[in-house]
Amino acid sequence: MSKPLVEIQHLKKYFPVRKGLLQSVVGHVKAVDDVSFTINEGETLGLVGESGCGKTTVGRTLLRLYEPTEGRILFDGQDVTKLWGAPLRALRRDMQIVFQDPFSSLNPRMTIKSIVEEGLIIHGVGNSQERRKRVEEVLTRVGLDTSYINRYPHEFSGGQRQRISIARALMLNPRFIVLDEPISALDVSIQSQIINLLNDLKQEFKLTYLFISHDLSVVEYISDRVAVMYLGEIVETASSEQLYKNPLHPYTKALLASVPSIDPNNKRPRVMLEGDVPSPINPPSGCRFHPRCPLAMDICRQQAPRALNLDGHLVRCHAVEQELADKGTTGR
């Protein structure tokens, strides 16, 4: 069994809300609120949820692009939150990111060679000739011609730009990559090419992924396990096969019911969610999903649900717990 490479323990990230002439703090946006999960070595963990639920903030905080408010981030047993300066810079060789928008994540004033080799220069890897050779090797591996090396980002299509972003992430031979909605800004015809490329690179370079997306069909295809996030909290985690065959949380069921299917025998019952997503500045008491949940009970409004472990299938839901109690079983 693979060992955990990334461990997130009770992670919180709050952004201050400031008002007035003196910019006094009047509240906090609780973007990530007590999130815990692990990613095993060689695994792809899919992180899904509606826009604004905190998915991207989790990925960026994990890499210390945002400083965590509370919690621990362990990478191969080392606490990332306690590293600064040279030790943190050295660790970042093993932890990279591919951003969502390939149009804004590449510097328009730099050539492709300069963009892709920048990490090597920062970390003092190789001389000019060695770096150029490495750039050409990686560009070829992601499906780009080496003759493009002196061109600028505006000369490429969206799919080509995302390949450049992937090449940049691979340059330092990382062990772990955060993929922050890497295909959502691309044409549908290009998305499958990028997904297949990411799968091939994972096998070839023995990579571990955190794949952040709102496209549930893509997450099912690429992920080994899936974590479902709602309003700053993870409400369900399971293997990809288990989650898609037997979702337990009402929010997960609603998300999966919204995925179109061409198989008339594989249609899920519609789950209608009422109202809008509450504000992360002032989230609801108890279960955060209760204002929109069709199964909400009084306890849901008063008490946050505990995490139930059903043979590795983790879920936070009072309705599920009540159903298990009625059957005479309980989750650990």
Side-chain angles (χ1 to χ4, degrees):
M1 184 177 178
S2 300
K3 66 176 182 178
L5 180 65
V6 178
E7 296 178 75
I8 305 300
Q9 300 175 356
H10 306 291
L11 183 66
K12 295 182 180 181
K13 178 57 185 176
Y14 297 171
F15 294 98
V17 178
R18 302 179 184 273
K19 285 187 177 180
L21 184 63
L22 299 178
Q23 289 294 285
S24 301
V25 176
V26 297
H28 289 87
V29 176
K30 298 177 180 179
V32 178
D33 201 6
D34 199 11
V35 163
S36 299
F37 61 82
T38 62
I39 309 176
N40 294 325
E41 199 162 10
E43 181 182 50
T44 298
L45 176 68
L47 185 60
V48 302
E50 293 170 291
S51 296
C53 71
K55 306 185 301 294
T56 293
T57 304
V58 168
R60 296 191 179 193
T61 306
L62 194 160
L63 298 177
R64 289 278 301 276
L65 298 179
Y66 296 150
E67 288 300 320
T69 303
E70 286 183 27
R72 300 179 72 204
I73 303 167
L74 302 179
F75 182 82
D76 204 13
Q78 189 173 21
D79 193 342
V80 178
T81 61
K82 295 182 178 179
L83 297 180
W84 300 92
L88 179 59
R89 186 181 301 113
L91 184 66
R92 280 182 168 154
R93 294 184 61 164
D94 288 331
M95 305 169 70
Q96 293 293 313
I97 186 170
V98 175
F99 293 99
Q100 175 179 1
D101 186 1
F103 296 91
S104 62
S105 62
L106 302 178
N107 190 331
R109 297 175 180 268
M110 297 172 67
T111 64
I112 301 311
K113 175 178 178 295
S114 299
I115 290 170
V116 176
E117 76 169 346
E118 188 175 20
L120 298 177
I121 295 173
I122 291 172
H123 289 275
V125 178
N127 56 36
S128 178
Q129 290 182 336
E130 292 170 338
R131 290 196 298 270
R132 183 183 178 93
K133 182 180 178 182
R134 173 66 178 160
V135 169
E136 291 176 346
E137 289 174 351
V138 175
L139 286 178
T140 300
R141 183 59 196 85
V142 300
L144 293 173
D145 197 302
T146 55
S147 64
Y148 297 164
I149 201 167
N150 292 316
R151 295 186 182 181
Y152 290 85
H154 73 269
E155 300 179 66
F156 295 90
S157 68
Q160 289 174 319
R161 291 190 196 194
Q162 200 62 296
R163 290 176 188 269
I164 294 166
S165 298
I166 294 169
R168 177 175 59 183
L170 290 173
M171 285 301 292
L172 291 165
N173 293 314
R175 298 171 62 191
F176 172 66
I177 300 179
V178 173
L179 301 167
D180 184 12
E181 305 216 33
I183 62 169
S184 64
L186 306 179
D187 293 340
V188 174
S189 60
I190 304 299
Q191 290 181 1
S192 60
Q193 297 177 23
I194 298 299
I195 288 296
N196 289 330
L197 172 64
L198 290 171
N199 266 335
D200 292 342
L201 294 173
K202 177 188 173 183
Q203 301 301 323
E204 182 177 344
F205 295 100
K206 296 179 172 58
L207 296 169
T208 302
Y209 290 153
L210 173 62
F211 188 87
I212 299 169
S213 180
H214 61 267
D215 190 329
L216 290 157
S217 57
V218 171
V219 169
E220 181 182 16
Y221 175 73
I222 197 172
S223 302
D224 300 300
R225 286 190 304 126
V226 180
V228 181
M229 196 166 182
Y230 181 79
L231 203 63
E233 296 181 338
I234 290 181
V235 297
E236 186 168 3
T237 306
S239 68
S240 180
E241 181 180 6
Q242 198 173 25
L243 187 94
Y244 282 80
K245 283 187 177 179
N246 183 33
L248 297 178
H249 198 282
Y251 178 62
T252 308
K253 292 179 180 179
L255 289 179
L256 293 178
S258 67
V259 179
S261 175
I262 60 174
D263 184 356
N265 298 317
N266 191 31
K267 290 188 176 181
R268 298 178 183 273
R270 295 279 296 176
V271 180
M272 300 301 295
L273 299 182
E274 298 181 357
D276 298 322
V277 180
S279 169
I281 299 176
N282 186 26
S285 59
C287 174
R288 296 189 174 183
F289 185 58
H290 85 255
R292 306 175 69 198
C293 181
L295 304 179
M297 304 176 289
D298 288 340
I299 191 173
C300 302
R301 300 174 181 86
Q302 301 163 6
Q303 182 179 323
R306 67 187 180 99
L308 304 173
N309 188 345
L310 309 173
D311 295 325
H313 192 150
L314 303 177
V315 62
R316 295 174 179 270
C317 179
H318 289 298
V320 173
E321 187 169 4
Q322 182 65 51
E323 183 181 352
L324 292 174
D326 293 341
K327 292 179 180 178
T329 59
T330 58
R332 297 194 304 274

